[in-house]
Amino acid sequence: MTAPNQPDRLPTYFVSHGGGPWPWIKDLMPGDMGKLEKSLQDIPRELGVTPRAILAVSGHWEESEFTVQTNPHPPMLYDYGGFPDFTYRIQYPAPGAPDVAARVGQLLDEAGIPTRYDAQRGYDHGVFAPFFVMYPDADVPILQLSLRSGYDPAAHLAAGRALAPLRDEGVLIVGSGFSYHNLRNFGPRAAHDSKAFGDWLTEAVVEVSPQERTQRLLRWDTAPSARAAHPAEDHLVPLMVAVGAAEDEAGVRIYHEPDFMGSVDSSSYRFGALPGRAGARA
C-alpha cells in the first residue's frame, strides 16, 4: 500500500505518447500536434522539481518477465516504419540509470515478482518521442521497464505497487502508451470507439474512488468498445503500473483531445499530488 502523500513525493503519470517520431515531423503529421506537445511540456513545469531519474514503462517493450534496462548509455531503437530517412538518425542521448535499475530489481524481487535485466536495450519511440518534448536537453536519466507478456492487469498493478517507494526517492514513474490504440481503425471510424472507451477510462481512473478504480481496471475489457479501442492492450497496460504505484491516491486528467489526428479521443493522466501539494488533486 502507498503511504499518505508526502510533500516531496512525486506523482505518477500515464501519457498518450503520439505516433512514431512525431516531434521531429510535426508538419507531416495529420492534424495539429500542438495540444499533445503542450501537455507534455507542462509536466516538468507542474512538477516544479527535476527528477533524479525517470522509470518509463513503454507499450513498445514486452518480455516474458518484467525486464529492467541497465544500459548506462542506451542507444536508439527505431521501432517504426515508413517515415523520412532522417528520423532513423534521431538521437536522444539521455543517460541510463543503472543504480536505479538495481533498485527496481530489488523492489520487484522483494515483492516476489520475477525480474530480468537487459544491458543492451535501447530507447524505443514510446520513450524518446515524449521525453524529447518533456526534457529536450536529454539531461534526466531514463531507464525502461518492460511489460510482461500476457498483459495481465493484476500483474502490472502489482509491479506498480512494488515500485511505489521510488516516488520518495526522486524517481518519476511514467507509463507511456495511448488511451486508444487500434492502428487498423485510425481515422474517421475511430471516433465512436475511442470516445466510448475514453469516456469510460476517464470515469474509471478519475471519477471513482481509488479502490473502485483498481477493480474497474482489472475488468477493463468489459468496458464499452474496449476491444475496438485496444485489440491488444500493450498501449493500455502501462497505465496499470502508474496506477499501482499510486493506488490509494486520486487521479486527474491532464490532457484531453477529442479529435487527435482528426478523429481519435486521446487522454493522459496524473496520479497523486504534485510535490509540496499533499492532498491536492491538481
Side-chain angles (χ1 to χ4, degrees), residues 9-276:
R9 169 167 291 174
L10 295 179
T12 71
Y13 288 86
F14 171 76
V15 298
S16 289
H17 63 229
W22 67 267
W24 291 269
I25 54 169
K26 289 179 288 186
D27 57 331
L28 301 178
M29 299 294 288
D32 180 9
M33 307 299 290
K35 193 167 185 178
L36 174 61
E37 182 176 41
K38 183 180 184 300
S39 75
L40 294 169
Q41 292 169 339
D42 282 346
I43 290 175
R45 288 197 286 262
E46 75 171 15
L47 283 173
V49 297
T50 300
R52 167 191 167 199
I54 297 168
L55 176 63
V57 184
S58 167
H60 292 275
W61 188 18
E62 171 190 335
E63 300 286 349
S64 59
E65 301 290 354
F66 288 110
T67 302
V68 188
Q69 180 188 55
T70 63
N71 196 322
H73 302 286
M76 303 293 287
L77 179 59
Y78 305 113
D79 56 336
Y80 42 70
F83 292 97
D85 288 347
F86 79 88
T87 64
Y88 300 90
R89 297 187 295 274
I90 288 167
Q91 293 295 312
Y92 184 68
D99 58 331
V100 180
R103 176 65 170 147
V104 169
Q106 176 191 16
L107 290 169
L108 292 174
D109 181 67
E110 289 174 353
I113 299 173
T115 309
R116 296 178 181 173
Y117 299 89
D118 189 325
Q120 305 301 317
R121 173 80 184 188
Y123 294 138
D124 61 60
H125 80 267
V127 172
F128 67 75
F131 290 116
F132 169 74
V133 179
M134 291 169 61
Y135 296 100
D137 294 331
D139 53 356
V140 179
I142 301 173
L143 71 156
Q144 289 189 236
L145 175 68
S146 79
L147 305 178
R148 197 179 80 178
S149 298
Y151 308 136
D152 179 10
H156 291 81
L157 285 161
R161 290 185 202 108
L163 297 171
L166 294 173
R167 299 173 54 206
D168 295 316
E169 300 169 14
V171 178
L172 183 67
I173 299 173
V174 179
S176 176
F178 219 127
S179 58
Y180 173 88
H181 194 253
N182 184 343
L183 296 181
R184 294 185 177 182
N185 194 17
F186 222 90
R189 295 180 301 168
H192 174 270
D193 290 331
S194 66
K195 184 181 188 307
F197 184 76
D199 287 350
W200 175 89
L201 185 63
T202 294
E203 179 181 349
V205 302
V206 172
E207 301 300 333
V208 303
S209 69
Q211 295 75 23
E212 176 64 17
R213 177 176 65 202
T214 296
Q215 293 305 309
R216 292 196 186 191
L217 290 177
L218 288 170
R219 305 187 304 270
W220 76 271
D221 57 351
T222 66
S225 296
R227 282 300 178 190
H230 292 279
E233 56 268 38
D234 51 346
H235 277 58
L236 181 66
V237 173
L239 167 71
M240 313 297 179
V241 181
V243 168
E247 194 166 28
D248 297 332
E249 298 167 54
V252 61
R253 183 164 65 181
I254 60 168
Y255 156 74
H256 177 237
E257 197 162 0
D259 55 356
F260 176 72
M261 296 180 70
S263 60
V264 171
D265 188 286
S266 178
S267 295
S268 300
Y269 305 93
R270 184 185 76 236
F271 303 98
L274 296 168

